[in-house]
Amino acid sequence: MSIDLDLTRLHAAYAQGLNAERVVERVIARIDEIADPGIFITLVEPASLRAAARTLGAFDPKRWPLWGVPFAVKDNIDVAGLPTTAACPGFARTPGRTARVVEKLIEAGALLVGKTNLDQFATGLVGVRTPYAVPRNAIDATLVPGGSSAGSAVAVAQNIVTFALGTDTAGSGRVPAGLNNIVGLKPSVGAISCRGVLPACRTLDCVSVFAGSVDDAWAAYAVIAGTDPEDPYSRAVTLGHLGALPPRTRLGVPRPKDLRFFGDIAAAEAWRAAAALAASLDAEIVETDLSPFFEVAALLYEGAWVAERYQAVREFIETRAEDMYPVTRGIIAGAQNLSAADAFAGLYRLQHLRRATEPVWTRIDALMVPTAPTAPTLADLAKDPIGPNSVLGLYTNFVNLLDLCGLALPAAMRSDGIPFGITLLAPAGHDAQLASIGRVFYADTRLKMGARGLTQPPLATPSP
């Protein structure tokens, strides 16, 4: 059964009489066809999914903007009646209440398919730190799928669902997008409720969106954004509207000395092609000093913020540490060597570096960086479980600490067939600006979406 799952074509098909139950059958068949046991930890029972499709009512996308759209959520996000495992079977619990972000999607007519695999307790950027089967990278099964939101990214790239929710603290909503040739929208921190989301670093966490296109990611974001009185870290962030690419957008790029590809010649070539494409869109390219950004990135795991991860699972790690994935346990347990004084020292250093980066945003409208400097293989991780993960965070770890929003985009297929992505960054509240730039950039790449050779939908004129 051939049904396009991107939102534009799916809703066009619904308008022509396509039944949502047929889409559900296509999703179920697609899961069987892909036969990757690592993507989902828990699936919604087929009978329940079919029943949800039957009870949607008449197609009305104005009232229900995500009517009949299949989606998945990372398994650190609560859904009532389904276990939340955070990829740790010993931690599993079945919540009685659904996370606010998922409630909003279901209220908008979307159909939940299941809960996806992740690096345990959302600690990692590789996607292999799980006691369950490791999700296969959708483009090249020898590569890591990217984490921590591995299953969510692969589910989208394999065209099982239209979009999926991840979370992003250090890059978990961007790195898997880059490694699987899809879009990853990392919103401004606090723009989406985290009520019902298991914390990693509670002051930095945000829910992210994976989709095949910028417009699909934005459609989901527009539904789930908004303040929540039950989330103390929720805050008012102006959503904004997608618009035309501003003339002579000032686009910052790393200075040549700040570009690090760790000997990966194909990645370096792909970056140059992406920068040339950006310049061809009438963007003013501004070389930018990333040294203070890299200093911020070092604070995330080398400083006291790892103590936030410890606090999130404190009772479990102090009583059932043996049930944790060894690498994850080692990272989080390192917080036991930190003091309150260390935490304040980190906060002071971060504030100093924030001030040092502020002038950057007076010179540019957005910063463009590689999403990941290289693409590690599973063999690389078998040799060194830590090093490749650190490499993947080079251009991501500083983002939430500096209160930036981000948009990861496919940029090119490398000469060796591996996807290469770029990420646009800007201060909090500039999400719409990034999406407006990113949708034009991505359309001009003319890349296929995900792993199934799907053509990008025509770039529609944004509504005012």
Side-chain angles (χ1 to χ4, degrees):
M1 184 190 306
S2 178
I3 298 174
D4 291 319
L5 288 185
D6 70 84
L7 185 57
T8 299
R9 285 185 281 233
L10 181 58
H11 269 191
Y14 279 142
Q16 294 297 314
L18 175 66
N19 190 293
E21 292 179 68
R22 284 193 62 207
V23 173
V24 164
E25 296 305 327
R26 180 253 183 240
V27 168
I28 294 170
R30 185 77 184 136
I31 292 170
D32 290 340
E33 177 188 346
I34 298 300
D36 181 351
I39 298 176
F40 291 95
I41 292 177
T42 303
L43 284 165
V44 172
E45 289 291 336
S48 298
L49 188 52
R50 293 178 179 116
R54 283 195 302 271
T55 58
L56 281 174
F59 178 59
D60 185 350
K62 290 186 177 180
R63 183 176 178 185
W64 297 293
L66 299 176
W67 193 98
V69 175
F71 77 102
V73 302
K74 185 175 180 178
D75 196 22
N76 59 345
I77 301 174
D78 286 347
V79 176
L82 297 180
T84 297
T85 73
C88 183
F91 177 82
R93 57 181 176 76
T94 301
R97 190 179 185 194
T98 295
R100 182 61 186 137
V101 64
V102 179
E103 288 177 340
K104 283 189 168 186
L105 292 170
I106 293 172
E107 289 165 1
L111 297 169
L112 177 62
V113 173
K115 305 190 72 183
T116 57
N117 203 352
L118 64 150
D119 280 317
Q120 190 175 83
F121 294 119
T123 300
L125 291 174
V126 287
V128 307
R129 296 172 177 173
T130 172
Y132 300 99
V134 172
R136 295 193 294 266
N137 182 292
I139 307 298
D140 182 342
T142 68
L143 302 176
V144 299
S148 61
S149 310
S152 289
V154 173
V156 171
Q158 291 287 20
N159 200 33
I160 294 171
V161 293
T162 303
F163 69 90
L165 299 184
T167 58
D168 190 307
T169 304
S172 297
R174 291 161 278 156
V175 169
L179 292 177
N180 288 278
N181 194 42
I182 59 172
V183 170
L185 188 156
K186 190 220 79 70
S188 300
V189 175
I192 299 171
S193 172
C194 282
R195 193 266 288 161
V197 179
L198 180 71
C201 295
R202 197 174 184 192
T203 61
L204 304 177
D205 295 339
C206 61
V207 175
S208 64
V209 182
F210 296 101
S213 70
V214 175
D215 285 7
D216 282 6
W218 187 262
Y221 179 45
V223 166
I224 60 182
T227 56
D228 180 0
E230 294 188 67
D231 175 7
Y233 289 94
S234 171
R235 59 178 175 170
V237 175
T238 301
L239 183 63
H241 298 282
L242 297 187
L245 181 69
R248 298 302 291 169
T249 296
R250 299 171 302 164
L251 197 61
V253 299
R255 301 173 303 173
K257 65 185 295 184
D258 291 331
L259 285 167
R260 305 173 192 174
F261 296 105
F262 302 91
D264 192 330
I265 296 172
E269 291 174 343
W271 165 256
R272 287 192 289 269
L277 176 58
S280 75
L281 299 177
D282 198 30
E284 178 186 351
I285 303 300
V286 181
E287 287 192 1
T288 303
D289 178 6
L290 290 194
S291 54
F293 293 84
F294 291 151
E295 286 191 61
V296 171
L299 293 174
L300 190 62
Y301 282 102
E302 296 174 17
W305 275 269
V306 73
E308 281 206 273
R309 294 183 184 272
Y310 188 91
Q311 174 60 25
V313 294
R314 184 172 186 172
E315 180 180 353
F316 188 79
I317 197 172
E318 291 179 355
T319 60
R320 310 238 339 241
E322 69 279 0
D323 289 345
M324 295 178 68
Y325 194 76
V327 173
T328 306
R329 181 179 65 240
I331 292 169
I332 297 176
Q336 293 172 309
N337 299 319
L338 299 168
S339 68
D342 293 325
F344 279 105
L347 288 169
Y348 300 154
R349 182 61 181 158
L350 175 59
Q351 191 61 26
H352 173 80
L353 291 169
R354 280 176 173 166
R355 186 57 53 89
T357 64
E358 285 173 359
V360 168
W361 306 109
T362 67
R363 298 191 292 267
I364 62 175
D365 300 304
L367 177 64
M368 185 176 93
V369 298
T371 298
T374 188
T377 65
L378 295 172
D380 293 331
L381 262 293
K383 295 175 185 175
D384 178 2
I386 303 295
N389 188 94
S390 299
V391 167
L392 287 176
L394 180 65
Y395 297 105
T396 64
N397 284 351
F398 58 79
V399 173
N400 284 6
L401 282 167
L402 290 176
D403 200 15
L404 308 178
C405 53
L407 181 68
L409 302 162
M413 278 293 175
R414 300 171 14 157
S415 57
D416 53 9
I418 293 172
F420 180 82
I422 59 98
T423 295
L424 300 174
L425 302 168
H430 290 75
D431 308 69
Q433 174 182 292
L434 294 187
S436 297
I437 298 169
R439 67 196 298 270
V440 175
F441 175 92
Y442 184 33
D444 273 35
T445 67
R446 294 180 170 81
L447 289 169
K448 303 294 185 181
M449 298 188 297
R452 313 310 300 179
L454 302 178
T455 303
Q456 296 183 45
L459 198 60
T461 301
S463 302

